[in-house]
């Protein structure tokens, strides 16, 4: 089963939902003889979409690894979801692929999901092949889709083929690389090779010339041979276009009907002949310096790109061998945590099936089970090696929900289960917020979180409820005020006594020192939740002993942790303690702690208190025709539009939006645009809350305290 590194091809299929990736893969596996009959998404019997959740949704939700032997090569294929809610599966799959196959729907053209995956293809500098699929669709439009793709992804997109006819009667493809027309039988499969019709020769020659020029840039003597002979065979062009594809100098475009099995065999042949093997990919730079090449004769290094938990099996780890060879029984050291792992079993994946193998070489993809310490993003090495692969970076979350259970007893079970799913899904984040006193789930969209909820019920037997999380407001002051507070308590024996006079005012960096005070001690503290506390000790004449400084600061900090307005954290405040009184018997730490807390609260209320709210920078890509509706919705969310631009055939809207107004934004945007938009959001800063909103929030907090 083990292949040589140069005989491996690792391809990942990417594209918007409903572009037909899973159906196309099923046809590719069938064409390669890996399966005897083709399954269908509707029939719930494809090799790729094999989980109950995928059968229920009729969509790819997880990435799936498969392989097919084609001629002398082994082609590893990874299927990925098309919804951007599951972008983590795309990122991890691209990390280990050597070629991306980007599938476009011929009826819908370039869709926003394709825009999303292109960002990662570009980031990882992955060679890419474009496939305009579903040419048999009644509304298929090759020319429009190609034009949109060139407009969005650049002039490096070069068609190798185009449909001689499209729509319901699609059955012929003109191939400008081999200069032949493929005509397929009604049920698809092996085509008949025919001469290109005279009416199409001018276009086919023009396309062929473009390919010759691309190949000639990397292969000497080709241009002269072309002028002598009139055209060149694929074999003659192979070396030049292989280099061009590997260097991302061009992105070839194919046409297919995955459903009718037309064109997929030609695509497989091109991947086999032209797509780069791992041996032809550039050296991978390591996080801790140096680089690594796919050398089967080197010592062994593997990278885990995906983990999942299976009932009765435990943790399943998907990895790529980056160097050397891997065999069952090998012991590797985890570069991320120093733990030693024994690879007890070694498999290759064919969808849900795991096939045992005796060896995997550099560049191959494999699976193992029951690693104790291996997680996604971990590098494992032969003992003595110090290699650490740069980790995968996943996008910021775009939705947050507070989670709860029907019974308090189930809460611990829920959190444990969530952490298990978080281990598998790096785009999911479980936060137990002490500040908000809530467990908050961060994800990529409502669909993403709904799937987690469904998994919790089916796999762990836990019901989870969603609610809107509280907003982490901040409190500060915009003015200044003097305050004094006396704490006195007498109840037989020694009592409690402490009196403090302080000034509170808004603090900012490079603020001038206060005048009229004798500064004895100054502490500028960075607060754990952001912002600062400037504490000035200006007591003279022994009115309060220095030994109470710690207790006074503690009293102020306690009040800042739960601010006087809404119970939110306070920040950017200067406190000047300048006078007070103590008692030789009754004064103690608790007395001055309570006195400081009371004085701070009084001063805060009199110093023009102001609530701050978190503002997020939101970037939205949407079709031009939906821009007005998207902008209108943003205005209802107190958004400030900071910019507009066009990106391909999409409009890019930049806005600053309060987090309090972003609940369920992903669902609303999907509804407004019919799923044709995408957005990202990132924390920007804290800004003043409008007076009417502040008034409502303070009132709400007062009711909660009763």
């Amino acid at each position: 089963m083990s292949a040589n590194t140069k005989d491996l091809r690792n391809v990942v299929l990417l594209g918007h939902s409903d572009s037909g990736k899973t159906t196309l893969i099923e046809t590719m596996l069938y064409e390669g003889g890996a399966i005897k009959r083709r399954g269908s998404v509707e029939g719930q019997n494809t090799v790729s979409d094999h989980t109950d959740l995928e059968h229920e949704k009729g969509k790819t939700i997880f990435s799936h690894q498969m392989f097919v032997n084609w001629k002398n090569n082994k082609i590893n294929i990874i299927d990925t979801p098309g919804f951007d809610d599951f972008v983590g599966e795309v990122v991890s799959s691209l990390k280990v692929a050597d070629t991306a196959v980007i599938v476009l729907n011929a009826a819908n053209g370039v869709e926003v999901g394709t825009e999303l995956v292109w960002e990662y293809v570009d980031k990882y500098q992955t060679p890419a092949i474009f496939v305009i699929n579903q040419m048999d669709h009644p509304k298929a439009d090759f020319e429009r889709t190609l034009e949109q793709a060139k407009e969005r992804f650049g002039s490096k997109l070069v068609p190798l083929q185009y449909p001689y006819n499209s729509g319901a009667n699609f059955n012929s493809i003109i191939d400008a690389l081999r200069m032949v027309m493929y005509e397929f039988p009604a049920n698809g499969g092996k085509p008949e090779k025919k001469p290109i019709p005279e009416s199409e020769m001018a276009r086919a020659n023009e396309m062929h010339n473009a390919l010759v020029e691309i190949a000639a840039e990397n292969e000497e003597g080709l241009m002269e041979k072309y002028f002598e002979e009139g055209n060149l065979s694929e074999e003659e062009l192979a070396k030049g276009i292989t280099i061009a594809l590997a260097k991302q100098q061009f992105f070839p475009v194919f046409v297919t009907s995955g459903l009718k099995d037309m064109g997929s065999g030609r695509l497989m042949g091109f991947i086999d002949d032209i797509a780069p093997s791992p041996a032809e990919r550039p050296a991978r730079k390591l996080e801790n310096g140096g680089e690594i090449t796919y050398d089967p004769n080197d010592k062994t290094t593997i990278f885990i790109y995906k983990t999942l938990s299976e009932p009765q099996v435990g943790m399943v780890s998907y990895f790529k061998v980056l160097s050397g060879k891997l065999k069952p029984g090998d012991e590797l050291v985890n570069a991320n945590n120093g733990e030693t792992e024994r690879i007890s079993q070694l498999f290759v994946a064919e969808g849900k099936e795991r096939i045992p193998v005796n060896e995997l070489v550099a560049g191959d993809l494999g699976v193992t089970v029951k690693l104790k310490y291996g997680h996604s993003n971990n590098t494992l090495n032969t003992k003595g090696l110090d290699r650490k692969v740069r980790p995968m970076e996943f996008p910021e979350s775009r939705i947050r929900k507070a989670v709860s259970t029907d019974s308090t007893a189930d809460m611990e079970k829920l959190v444990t289960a969530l952490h298990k799913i978080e281990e598998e899904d790096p785009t999911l984040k479980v936060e137990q917020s002490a500040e908000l006193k809530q467990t908050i789930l961060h994800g990529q969209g409502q669909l993403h979180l709904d799937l987690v909820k469904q998994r919790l019920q089916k796999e762990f037997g836990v019901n989870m409820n969603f609610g809107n999380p509280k907003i982490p407001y901040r409190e500060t002051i915009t003015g200044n005020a003097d305050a004094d507070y006396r704490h006195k308590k007498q109840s037989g024996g020694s009592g409690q006594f402490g009196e403090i006079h302080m000034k509170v005012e808004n603090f900012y960096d490079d603020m001038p020192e206060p005048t009229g005070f004798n500064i004895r001690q100054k502490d500028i503290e960075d607060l754990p939740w952001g912002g600062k506390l400037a504490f000035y000790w200006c007591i003279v004449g022994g009115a309060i002993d220095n030994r109470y400084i710690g207790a006074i600061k503690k009293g102020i900090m306690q009040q800042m942790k739960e601010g006087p307005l809404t119970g939110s954290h306070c920040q950017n405040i200067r406190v000047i303690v300048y006078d007070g009184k103590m008692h030789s018997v009754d004064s103690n730490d608790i007395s001055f702690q309570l006195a400081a807390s009371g004085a701070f609260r009084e001063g805060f209320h009199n110093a023009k208190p102001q609530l701050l709210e978190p503002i997020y920078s939101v970037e939205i890509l949407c079709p031009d025709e939906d821009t007005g509706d998207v902008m209108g919705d943003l205005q209802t969310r107190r958004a400030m539009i900071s910019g507009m631009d066009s990106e391909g055939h999409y409009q890019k809207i930049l806005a600053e939006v309060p987090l309090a107004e972003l609940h369920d934004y992903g669902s609303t945007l999907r509804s407004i645009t019919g799923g044709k938009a995408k957005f990202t959001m990132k924390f920007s800063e804290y800004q003043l809350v409008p007076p009417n909103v502040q008034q409502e929030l303070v009132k709400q907090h007062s009711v909660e305290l009763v």
Side-chain angles (χ1 to χ4, degrees):
M1 186 66 69
S2 179
N4 294 318
T5 301
K6 65 180 179 58
D7 299 330
L8 291 167
R9 304 288 183 271
N10 297 311
V11 301
V12 57
L13 269 73
L14 309 165
H16 193 87
S17 183
D18 294 327
S19 57
K21 300 181 295 296
T22 301
T23 302
L24 181 59
I25 287 173
E26 194 74 3
T27 302
M28 291 164 77
L29 295 174
Y30 175 73
E31 283 285 333
I35 54 176
K36 299 301 179 194
R37 58 187 296 274
R38 293 189 297 149
S40 68
V41 173
E42 296 75 22
Q44 301 183 353
N45 57 352
T46 61
V47 174
S48 178
D49 289 359
H50 57 77
T51 68
D52 290 343
L53 282 168
E54 287 169 319
H55 291 163
E56 190 179 313
K57 302 283 185 189
K59 307 279 183 194
T60 304
I61 291 171
F62 308 102
S63 62
H64 298 291
Q65 192 176 299
M66 292 141 286
F67 74 95
V68 61
N69 293 308
W70 187 275
K71 296 183 182 174
N72 297 318
N73 292 337
K74 177 189 177 189
I75 302 176
N76 290 315
I77 302 170
I78 305 177
D79 191 11
T80 60
F83 281 116
D84 60 356
D85 280 38
F86 308 120
V87 65
E89 302 282 345
V90 170
V91 173
S92 58
S93 301
L94 259 172
K95 180 76 171 178
V96 296
D98 299 305
T99 304
V101 175
I102 300 173
V103 184
L104 306 176
N105 183 325
N108 297 341
V110 175
E111 298 171 273
V112 72
T114 318
E115 308 260 2
L116 178 75
V117 300
W118 179 254
E119 289 176 23
Y120 292 102
V121 170
D122 198 35
K123 179 181 176 180
Y124 285 124
Q125 296 195 314
T126 308
I129 298 167
F130 282 79
V131 176
I132 300 179
N133 189 33
Q134 301 187 39
M135 287 308 311
D136 57 307
H137 193 283
K139 294 183 179 177
D141 190 332
F142 172 80
E143 304 299 344
R144 185 199 60 179
T145 303
L146 179 64
E147 191 56 40
Q148 284 182 0
K150 282 184 171 182
E151 191 181 287
R152 177 61 190 92
F153 309 121
S155 58
K156 291 181 182 179
L157 263 79
V158 179
L160 269 65
Q161 305 177 324
Y162 66 93
Y164 182 53
N165 53 0
S166 60
N169 297 319
F170 172 68
N171 72 339
S172 301
I173 297 171
I174 290 177
D175 191 304
L177 182 55
R178 289 186 171 167
M179 289 302 287
V180 68
M181 183 171 88
Y182 295 107
E183 189 176 282
F184 294 88
N187 296 325
K190 191 172 178 63
E192 185 182 344
K193 292 181 184 177
K194 290 191 168 184
I196 295 173
E198 194 61 39
S199 61
E200 303 298 320
M201 279 304 291
R203 182 177 183 183
N205 276 324
E206 187 183 340
M207 288 167 62
H208 190 78
N209 293 351
L211 294 169
V212 171
E213 286 182 23
I214 289 164
E217 285 184 31
N218 297 291
E219 181 70 351
E220 288 183 23
L222 270 186
M223 198 61 84
E224 291 80 358
K225 191 168 186 179
Y226 174 63
F227 286 134
E228 287 171 16
E229 300 182 10
N231 65 37
L232 298 172
S233 69
E234 182 172 353
E235 289 71 26
E236 289 169 317
L237 292 170
K239 188 176 178 184
I241 60 175
T242 296
I243 294 169
L245 178 63
K247 289 182 175 179
Q248 299 98 52
Q249 290 172 350
F250 97 122
F251 304 112
V253 182
F254 285 80
V255 294
T256 62
S257 164
L259 185 64
K260 288 192 172 181
D261 187 11
M262 296 179 182
S264 48
R266 176 72 181 103
L267 172 64
M268 292 286 280
F270 185 84
I271 291 169
D272 182 73
D273 293 335
I274 306 297
S277 73
E280 293 164 310
R281 296 285 284 131
R284 185 188 292 259
K285 294 194 182 300
L286 297 168
E287 188 184 359
N288 52 351
E291 54 187 32
I292 185 171
T293 55
Y294 292 101
D295 181 358
N297 300 312
D298 193 0
K299 289 181 178 178
T300 305
T301 295
I302 71 171
F303 177 76
I304 300 173
Y305 74 93
K306 174 184 166 91
T307 56
L308 59 87
S309 178
E310 276 189 20
Q312 282 83 51
V313 177
M315 199 56 75
V316 181
S317 305
Y318 291 78
F319 61 85
K320 186 176 191 180
V321 183
L322 300 184
S323 68
K325 295 171 183 169
L326 186 66
K327 296 178 181 178
D330 285 355
E331 288 194 349
L332 301 177
V333 178
N334 192 317
N336 299 79
N337 53 36
E339 299 287 352
T340 300
E341 294 276 12
R342 185 174 183 275
I343 309 297
S344 56
Q345 296 170 284
L346 202 55
F347 306 95
V348 289
E350 189 72 285
K352 67 178 177 183
E353 303 297 327
R354 285 194 285 271
I355 302 163
V357 291
N358 295 320
E359 182 182 77
L360 290 172
V361 301
D364 213 345
L365 303 180
V367 187
T368 191
V369 295
K370 297 181 180 175
L371 293 184
K372 291 181 181 176
Y373 312 104
H375 309 286
S376 294
N377 256 337
N378 284 180
T379 308
L380 278 65
N381 298 304
T382 301
K383 194 172 182 179
L385 279 184
D386 182 27
R387 292 173 179 162
K388 199 172 184 182
V389 173
R390 289 177 178 174
M392 300 175 281
E393 293 176 11
F394 295 93
E396 298 276 338
S397 61
R398 298 174 304 164
I399 187 173
R400 53 197 286 275
K401 288 287 183 184
V403 298
S404 60
T405 52
D406 294 331
S407 71
T408 315
D410 279 348
M411 198 61 198
E412 191 175 333
K413 192 178 174 185
L414 170 68
V415 172
T416 303
L418 281 173
H419 281 303
K420 282 189 178 179
I421 297 177
E422 182 184 32
E423 169 74 19
E424 298 174 26
D425 183 354
T427 63
L428 189 75
K429 183 184 167 193
V430 182
E431 176 196 0
Q432 289 175 281
S433 173
E435 176 186 351
L436 303 177
K437 300 179 178 65
Q438 289 180 312
T439 299
I440 298 171
L441 201 55
H442 301 257
Q444 292 301 310
Q446 190 61 51
L447 193 62
H448 186 202
L449 298 191
D450 285 344
L451 176 75
V452 172
K453 183 176 183 177
Q454 210 167 339
R455 285 191 64 189
L456 285 166
Q457 289 168 336
K458 290 195 169 189
E459 296 173 28
F460 300 93
V462 184
N463 287 317
M464 178 172 69
N465 304 316
F466 288 134
N468 287 338
K470 296 173 186 172
I471 303 298
Y473 292 106
R474 295 288 180 263
E475 298 182 18
T476 192
I477 49 178
T478 55
N480 62 75
D482 287 281
D484 57 82
Y485 190 91
R486 174 182 289 186
H487 173 72
K488 185 176 182 181
K489 188 177 178 185
Q490 200 71 41
S491 55
S494 61
Q496 292 180 356
F497 180 86
E499 185 178 317
I500 289 180
H501 298 237
M502 66 169 63
K503 181 174 186 175
V504 295
E505 54 190 358
N506 174 249
F507 176 78
Y508 52 90
D509 288 333
D510 302 319
M511 187 176 184
E513 295 286 35
T515 55
F517 297 100
N518 192 337
I519 302 168
R520 298 299 185 90
Q521 182 178 324
K522 178 176 84 170
D523 300 321
I524 310 292
E525 295 195 18
D526 289 313
L527 300 167
W529 51 83
K532 293 180 180 177
L533 164 66
F535 178 82
Y536 284 68
W537 183 253
C538 301
I539 295 289
V540 291
I544 305 174
D545 277 355
N546 286 359
R547 62 193 165 108
Y548 293 124
I549 291 176
I552 291 168
K553 279 177 73 175
K554 188 175 181 182
I556 293 167
M557 282 297 289
Q558 280 179 344
Q559 198 58 230
M560 289 188 74
K561 274 183 186 173
E562 293 195 18
L565 283 181
T566 61
S568 306
H569 293 334
C570 299
Q571 64 182 42
N572 299 335
I573 295 171
R574 180 157 77 181
V575 178
I576 303 162
V577 179
Y578 60 85
D579 201 0
K581 290 179 184 175
M582 62 179 179
H583 189 277
S584 57
V585 176
D586 292 345
S587 289
N588 52 27
D589 280 356
I590 192 67
S591 301
F592 277 104
Q593 192 176 312
L594 292 169
S597 184
F600 179 86
R601 187 168 58 248
E602 182 189 315
F604 189 95
H605 276 301
N606 294 326
K608 297 180 183 173
Q610 179 65 53
L611 207 55
L612 305 170
E613 63 180 340
I615 303 294
Y616 275 66
S617 295
V618 180
E619 183 180 300
I620 303 149
L621 272 185
C622 66
D624 192 41
E625 63 269 20
D626 295 319
T627 306
D629 291 337
V630 172
M631 297 271 280
D633 176 69
L634 284 171
Q635 284 167 0
T636 69
R637 297 173 185 270
R638 298 194 282 122
M640 291 286 292
I641 307 298
S642 53
M644 278 193 72
D645 201 358
S646 57
E647 197 165 294
H649 56 287
Y650 286 92
Q651 288 296 317
K652 181 160 79 173
I653 303 168
L654 303 174
E656 301 289 304
V657 191
L659 179 61
E661 304 292 342
L662 284 170
H663 291 313
D664 301 321
Y665 183 63
S667 301
T668 304
L669 185 65
R670 183 170 278 145
S671 174
I672 291 172
T673 64
K676 293 178 182 174
K678 69 164 188 169
F679 79 103
T680 56
M681 54 184 271
K682 193 172 185 180
F683 172 74
S684 172
E685 61 179 342
Y686 273 89
Q687 287 183 9
L688 301 179
V689 169
N692 61 318
V693 177
Q694 175 165 323
Q695 194 176 354
E696 187 57 40
L697 289 167
V698 172
K699 184 179 171 185
Q700 197 176 307
H701 181 64
S702 302
V703 171
E704 288 170 3
L705 291 176
V706 174

